[in-house]
Amino acid sequence: MVRAVRDGGKAIERIVRDLKVFSRQDSDAVPEAICINDVVQRSLRMLDTDLQKATQHLTVDLDESNPHVMGNAHRLDQVLTNLIQNAAQALNAPSQPI
């Protein structure tokens, strides 16, 4: 039971950290190297509950080379999160995959 509480605490900590990154307003930010895999994983964690309700078949295929792009991390988070939400909302049934 202690392990479950500790794991739950870590999950909450990760979600709060992801929400802080997502909500940060840095419109004047200088482009930086952003790991696409990290952005995908962060977006999926933030949308985990919604995705579980929307589909029973979520497939994530990350690039093993761990690619980086130059850009604004906050804006990329927003774009990817919106794309994933749109995909989930477009499903007609949970049996459809994303």
Side-chain angles (χ1 to χ4, degrees):
M1 188 162 61
V2 172
R3 185 179 312 135
V5 170
R6 185 182 62 220
D7 292 346
K10 287 180 183 180
I12 291 169
E13 179 183 0
R14 188 174 55 241
I15 290 168
V16 169
R17 184 176 59 245
D18 291 344
L19 286 171
K20 284 181 181 180
V21 169
F22 182 76
S23 67
R24 185 174 44 218
Q25 299 295 323
D26 54 358
S27 60
D28 297 329
V30 176
E32 59 184 327
I34 303 163
C35 176
I36 296 295
N37 289 353
D38 291 347
V39 175
V40 170
Q41 291 172 336
R42 189 167 44 244
S43 294
L44 290 172
R45 282 193 304 265
M46 286 182 23
L47 298 171
D48 183 58
T49 302
D50 293 336
L51 289 170
Q52 287 181 22
K53 292 176 187 175
T55 183
Q56 299 163 352
H57 307 285
L58 174 68
T59 303
V60 180
D61 186 16
L62 299 174
D63 189 331
E64 292 182 19
S65 70
N66 210 18
H68 287 72
V69 296
M70 294 300 291
N72 181 307
H74 174 67
R75 289 185 181 160
L76 190 55
D77 278 338
Q78 287 180 320
V79 168
L80 189 58
T81 298
N82 287 337
L83 287 172
I84 295 169
Q85 283 177 325
N86 290 347
Q89 291 170 356
L91 298 177
N92 293 320
S95 59
Q96 292 181 299
I98 295 179

